[in-house]
Amino acid sequence: MKAETIPLLSREREAELRGVAEARAQQQVQQMWAALTDEYHHEIRKAADQWGRKTIAWDLGVDLSTVSNWLSCENGRGFPPPRLMLYLRDKVPTLAAWENDHAGYLPPQLKMSAIDGGQAISEIERDVLPELGKRDADKVRSILRRVRGAR
């Protein structure tokens, strides 16, 4: 009896250790994205300061407090609206250059090899469809048939 419990305990411990390692890796990725987001917010504010908040407010037809709120980039507030981003990209080439430098960046943990459409369809059929209910699976099959027909 004792011999049977030891392997089970070690498997449980292995699973626990694997879970801890996965959680640590996910936390590192989240921290990396948070740092990149903070850096991007800094670049946006720097571009606005370079051009001038009063000038931005005047050109966009809003008041100065609106521009300040847009640029606060606080947690939960997200990014400035698209019209401000387009304006800043146009007026401050260094912001556009920073975005271009970082546009294709993916951390090594998130890089995945690309697959063609046929492989993607096969994986969906093999891995996803069995998990769906009949109605949803029929909908997905219908979509996949149309995708295959369009190729």
Side-chain angles (χ1 to χ4, degrees):
M1 184 83 159
K2 201 172 200 181
E4 292 175 17
T5 60
I6 292 173
L8 290 177
L9 291 176
S10 65
R11 281 190 227 133
E12 287 176 6
R13 182 68 178 145
E14 286 177 15
E16 181 182 322
L17 292 174
R18 205 174 3 217
V20 168
E22 289 171 2
R24 190 176 304 119
Q26 184 178 14
Q27 184 179 23
Q28 287 175 340
V29 170
Q30 289 171 342
Q31 288 172 343
M32 186 276 316
W33 281 117
L36 188 62
T37 301
D38 289 344
E39 185 180 347
Y40 188 35
H41 286 161
H42 175 73
E43 292 296 321
I44 292 168
R45 286 189 293 272
K46 191 166 77 174
D49 291 342
Q50 183 179 343
W51 193 250
R53 292 178 184 216
K54 286 183 182 179
T55 304
I56 294 169
W58 178 262
D59 289 349
L60 295 178
V62 296
D63 56 82
L64 189 56
S65 64
T66 300
V67 173
S68 292
N69 285 338
W70 286 347
L71 295 170
S72 67
C73 300
E74 295 170 2
N75 273 343
R77 294 190 80 167
F79 291 92
R83 70 188 235 193
L84 177 61
M85 294 305 301
L86 292 171
Y87 177 87
L88 289 173
R89 286 179 192 135
D90 183 50
K91 302 294 184 184
V92 184
T94 55
L95 177 62
W98 187 93
E99 288 177 336
N100 286 337
D101 290 346
H102 294 80
Y105 176 74
L106 267 181
Q109 302 93 323
L110 296 181
K111 287 188 179 176
M112 302 175 84
S113 60
I115 60 173
D116 69 9
Q119 286 176 305
I121 291 172
S122 297
E123 285 187 31
I124 290 169
E125 288 175 335
R126 182 185 67 238
D127 301 332
V128 177
L129 288 179
E131 302 295 323
L132 298 176
K134 181 176 175 12
R135 185 175 181 194
D136 292 331
D138 289 343
K139 285 180 187 177
V140 173
R141 276 190 198 92
S142 168
I143 293 168
L144 293 177
R145 271 190 233 109
R146 286 185 289 175
V147 168
R148 276 197 183 119
R151 298 170 109 222

